[in-house]
Amino acid sequence: MSNKKFETLAVRTQSETTQFSEHSVPLYLTSGFVFDDAEEMRASFAEEKQRDLYSRYSNPNVNEFVDKVCLMEGAEAGFAFASGMAAVFSTFATLLDAGDHVVSCSSVFGATHGLFTKYFPKWNIECSYFNVNEVETIESLIKPNTKFLYAETPTNPGVDVLDLEYLNAICKKHKILLVIDNCFATPYLQQPIKYGADLVIHSATKLMDGQGRVLGGVTVGKKELIREIYLFARLTGPSMSPFNAWVLSKSLETLAVRTDKHCENALKLATFLEAHPKVQWVKYPFLKSHPKYNIAKKQMLLGGNIIAFEVKGGLEGGRSFLDAIKMCSLSANLGDTRTIVTHPASTTHAKVEAEVKAAAGITDGLVRVSVGLEHIDDIISDLKQALN
Ligand SMILES: *Cc1c(COP(=O)(O)O)cnc(C)c1O
């Protein structure tokens, strides 16, 4: 199977057919699984026999979802979680001991930033941030107790791009792990393992689901690391529900075709915005004006569905732009069929200190658009009337 192309793997990787010969994989809503006799039960718990024991550990729907993501990312193994943050936290909690140190890009998802700054200090785990535009400073932040380098690319909400090949070279030189949150790109657009990443994390809630229905998360990568993450998760219980896995596995069947259209719409919208007089600047990885356009072209198949742009008029300009939006949704989610606009400075990042905001590239007039699957003419016309 694994010599097949991405789209084929997404459609044809399925759980074994049951005695009912169903074509579409059924939903296995069961908390536990039964054994024939004491010996089978003993051998299964001793892991001499590979099978499902209890849905906190594994479940056929969850296994199918994980298998697909592994094939898509070129990973050896994986584990699925109830949410993206459960994947991020469980991965960190497994890898890190008290006294360890992490180097991370400062432009990370808000809740991940919260883990680094609010909870890790109480376990004596320290985090040093590098600015997305100053990657030459990364090496100077690495210490003898640094466990891993962490980054998202493209970043949220600034849509900056980090060079995966460059990050990996640093990690290999200093013998630390490279952990990438690949949520914005999806495995269809970018596979960090090809560039040497040891672990790749996803919030499946975003483009993987693609329709804003369920939460989910997944970590894939090196077998021996996933084994440790599995042992942690099996005790602590952050596993993905079979229902969400069933929904998400079906969603992955259409990931490529959906993402193609998302990216086509996003490039058209970014091009429109760039030419608009009320727009100061636009950042989209596949616009030639993006500072890391060449890196984006090297490591991404297409530019993704997220655009950042600066509305003229600062905080008030951003707020009144949002108020004038008629069709698009004002919501915190992203990667939905419906186009979503957010204004981080007055919402998600309203309470963040000025210097932290600046380091994450959040300016007062910054608007983030998660471009959906409506007809591009209607998306453009809504943003156009709101700008005017
Ligand atoms: C949304 C998101 C997360 C968290 O995922 P949830 O499923 O909401 O818990 C983590 N990283 C990135 C980049 C995200 O966009």
Side-chain angles (χ1 to χ4, degrees):
M1 239 346 227
S2 58
N3 60 349
K4 297 268 198 305
K5 301 267 195 256
F6 188 95
E7 291 82 347
T8 314
L9 293 172
V11 171
R12 288 285 166 186
T13 305
Q14 288 195 316
S15 298
E16 235 171 276
T17 308
T18 72
Q19 74 271 30
F20 298 113
S21 306
E22 71 281 351
H23 193 200
S24 174
V25 174
L27 178 49
Y28 293 96
L29 281 185
T30 177
S31 42
F33 301 85
V34 290
F35 306 89
D36 288 340
D37 49 37
E39 173 50 25
E40 196 201 4
M41 201 161 177
R42 184 207 61 80
S44 303
F45 275 84
E47 297 189 332
E48 289 163 21
K49 192 172 175 179
Q50 280 301 312
R51 51 156 293 168
D52 295 310
L53 306 178
Y54 187 59
S55 287
R56 169 151 41 82
Y57 307 174
S58 71
N59 169 284
N61 294 121
V62 179
N63 301 343
E64 180 185 286
F65 169 74
V66 171
D67 288 348
K68 269 188 203 180
V69 179
C70 286
L71 287 167
M72 289 173 161
E73 288 282 5
E76 294 170 0
F79 192 84
F81 297 90
S83 70
M85 281 321 298
V88 171
F89 176 72
S90 303
T91 303
F92 289 176
T94 303
L95 296 178
L96 294 167
D97 294 314
D100 278 347
H101 174 247
V102 174
V103 174
S104 168
C105 182
S106 57
S107 309
V108 287
F109 188 66
T112 307
H113 169 72
L115 287 182
F116 287 143
T117 52
K118 187 162 180 222
Y119 291 100
F120 283 7
K122 77 175 189 179
W123 296 314
N124 193 26
I125 294 165
E126 209 196 342
C127 173
S128 304
Y129 277 144
F130 66 89
N131 185 297
V132 70
N133 297 312
E134 292 164 10
V135 291
E136 65 285 353
T137 63
I138 296 175
E139 281 201 80
S140 67
L141 300 173
I142 296 173
K143 307 199 256 187
N145 60 339
T146 304
K147 231 354 157 1
F148 61 80
L149 175 61
Y150 185 74
E152 299 171 7
T153 180
T155 62
N156 179 30
V159 199
D160 286 299
V161 171
L162 288 159
D163 186 344
L164 291 168
E165 200 176 340
Y166 176 79
L167 298 184
N168 182 56
I170 296 173
C171 291
K172 293 297 170 295
K173 181 173 162 196
H174 294 272
K175 299 194 167 57
I176 59 173
L177 300 172
L178 178 60
V179 183
I180 298 292
D181 181 332
N182 199 30
C183 169
F184 270 34
T186 82
Y188 177 57
L189 301 181
Q190 172 177 283
Q191 292 115 21
I193 290 172
K194 272 208 300 224
Y195 296 91
D198 297 282
L199 290 170
V200 173
I201 300 175
H202 281 282
S203 164
T205 314
K206 313 297 167 56
L207 274 177
M208 278 191 177
D209 173 66
Q211 288 141 90
R213 299 165 301 180
V214 299
L215 297 183
V218 62
T219 301
V220 301
K222 295 252 164 72
K223 208 159 62 186
E224 62 278 13
L225 296 172
I226 296 295
R227 168 79 185 157
E228 294 305 314
I229 292 168
Y230 162 76
L231 292 173
F232 176 84
R234 145 177 184 155
L235 284 185
T236 54
S239 334
M240 177 179 279
S241 89
F243 177 75
N244 287 12
W246 179 81
V247 170
L248 289 166
S249 185
K250 307 269 181 219
S251 292
L252 289 181
E253 294 183 13
T254 57
L255 179 69
V257 57
R258 285 186 286 109
T259 304
D260 276 337
K261 191 68 185 175
H262 276 288
C263 296
E264 182 192 321
N265 280 355
L267 183 59
K268 284 183 183 159
L269 180 64
T271 308
F272 160 79
L273 289 169
E274 201 167 38
H276 198 284
K278 293 266 174 64
V279 174
Q280 194 110 31
W281 51 257
V282 181
K283 235 192 273 165
Y284 181 69
F286 269 36
L287 274 187
K288 286 207 177 69
S289 56
H290 192 286
K292 302 285 167 58
Y293 172 74
N294 289 329
I295 295 166
K297 279 278 184 178
K298 176 180 76 172
Q299 66 193 26
M300 296 176 75
L301 181 66
L302 296 163
N305 80 317
I306 311 290
I307 302 171
F309 68 97
E310 180 79 9
V311 184
K312 288 187 182 164
L315 203 63
E316 262 324 297
R319 281 177 54 99
S320 50
F321 170 75
L322 242 68
D323 278 338
I325 288 288
K326 289 199 177 116
M327 177 189 78
C328 298
S329 315
L330 312 186
S331 168
N333 193 29
L334 56 93
D336 199 309
T337 46
R338 287 151 286 221
T339 298
I340 295 168
V341 289
T342 51
H343 180 228
S346 69
T347 57
T348 47
H349 293 72
K351 293 203 183 87
V352 177
E353 311 92 86
E355 70 223 52
V356 177
K357 265 194 302 207
I362 296 155
T363 47
D364 283 345
L366 180 82
V367 173
R368 185 190 72 188
V369 189
S370 165
V371 183
L373 298 179
E374 302 95 338
H375 195 285
I376 185 59
D377 293 352
D378 294 322
I379 300 172
I380 289 180
S381 95
D382 193 25
L383 268 70
K384 189 174 176 180
Q385 64 81 26
L387 282 168
N388 292 341

